[in-house]
Amino acid sequence: MSSEMIQLLVLAGIAVFLILRLKNVLGSREGFEKPPLPMPGQADAATEARRGFEVIEGGPDRDITDNVPEDSPAAEALAKMKGAEPSFGVSDFLGGAKQAYEMILMAFESGDIDDVAPFLSKDVFETFQEVIDMRADQGLTVDANFVGVRETTLLYAEFDETTRIAELKLRFVGELTSVVRDQAGDVVDGDPNEVKRQKDIWTFEREMGSDNPNWQLVATGE
């Protein structure tokens, strides 16, 4: 085989790799832009099969004990959630919550939270919208870029067996760049080249066993 042919094959391979990477990235973004999205807690068949190997008969549920202390009130609440909805998985929830954090945070920064409304309680939606309206009245815009989540920690879990309402409180530590500009486009706060660390404590809520798979953000804090 000639050297020219080898070079063509190598270039073709690189092109295919780049196309696949671009497709994966764009696919992820498109998924975030078309709610309602499945929120954490909905496991597929593969996840269910994997979970079957995690729990030894008579032993601890590693899906729970890997995230909260064994025999803690939170562990007990999580076990009750699984009893009410066997497809629920703590690790699945945390993975979905991490994605939801980025999606909701960036929607707030951009000033358009309509697409994430299904994931926000009425009170949280109104609070976010009030801040967005205040920025608009002042002629301010935010240019933000999400870098990543450094930490996702489950702080608290509670389950009401009567109402079947589950409540999970998480701490997120995210990294992003954020710049506030005035009507003239001048920077009034922030630095586009400085990555800032942001800490948030968010509480999610959902009725276990409900046909609606979406968890809602019901409280925020620091």
Side-chain angles (χ1 to χ4, degrees):
M1 183 179 296
S2 66
S3 60
E4 291 81 1
M5 181 62 69
I6 293 175
Q7 290 177 349
L8 287 174
L9 290 175
V10 171
L11 291 175
I14 294 174
V16 171
F17 173 78
L18 292 175
I19 291 173
L20 290 175
R21 288 293 300 275
L22 179 60
K23 181 179 179 181
N24 288 337
V25 172
L26 295 178
S28 298
R29 290 175 179 170
E30 181 179 359
F32 290 154
E33 293 169 357
K34 295 183 179 179
L37 300 175
M39 287 288 286
Q42 308 305 304
D44 55 19
T47 303
E48 287 299 305
R50 183 177 68 251
R51 188 175 297 122
F53 290 99
E54 292 176 347
V55 183
I56 302 174
E57 184 176 358
D61 185 341
R62 294 298 300 274
D63 183 50
I64 294 177
T65 59
D66 283 350
N67 294 288
V68 296
E70 187 177 356
D71 298 326
S72 66
E76 181 180 355
L78 292 171
K80 291 179 179 178
M81 292 178 200
K82 288 192 169 192
E85 185 173 308
S87 64
F88 171 71
V90 183
S91 297
D92 297 327
F93 169 82
L94 293 176
K98 181 178 178 180
Q99 295 177 350
Y101 176 68
E102 175 183 356
M103 179 177 65
I104 296 172
L105 180 62
M106 296 311 294
F108 172 74
E109 294 286 353
S110 69
D112 185 2
I113 57 173
D114 288 340
D115 284 349
V116 298
F119 311 123
L120 307 177
S121 69
K122 183 176 182 293
D123 289 343
V124 171
F125 180 89
E126 291 177 349
T127 300
F128 281 9
Q129 190 62 57
E130 182 179 354
V131 175
I132 291 171
D133 292 342
M134 289 176 59
R135 289 195 315 227
D137 291 341
Q138 296 173 12
L140 302 176
T141 58
V142 178
D143 183 11
N145 179 50
F146 193 82
V147 177
V149 179
R150 293 185 59 89
E151 177 187 334
T152 305
T153 304
L154 179 57
L155 300 177
Y156 176 80
E158 187 174 74
F159 181 64
D160 188 321
E161 294 182 89
T162 301
T163 62
R164 300 171 67 89
I165 296 296
E167 189 174 283
L168 296 170
K169 180 180 292 187
L170 279 67
R171 179 175 62 237
F172 297 100
V173 179
E175 291 185 335
L176 69 158
T177 60
S178 181
V179 173
V180 180
R181 301 181 186 273
D182 60 19
Q183 288 181 316
D186 296 326
V187 176
V188 296
D189 186 45
D191 182 342
N193 298 315
E194 179 184 358
V195 177
K196 294 184 177 180
R197 185 171 297 181
Q198 178 162 323
K199 300 178 181 180
D200 292 286
I201 294 178
W202 286 8
T203 302
F204 293 92
E205 185 178 278
R206 178 174 174 267
E207 178 185 350
M208 304 304 290
S210 169
D211 292 335
N212 184 355
N214 294 336
W215 288 78
Q216 281 198 329
L217 177 61
V218 297
T220 64
E222 295 182 0

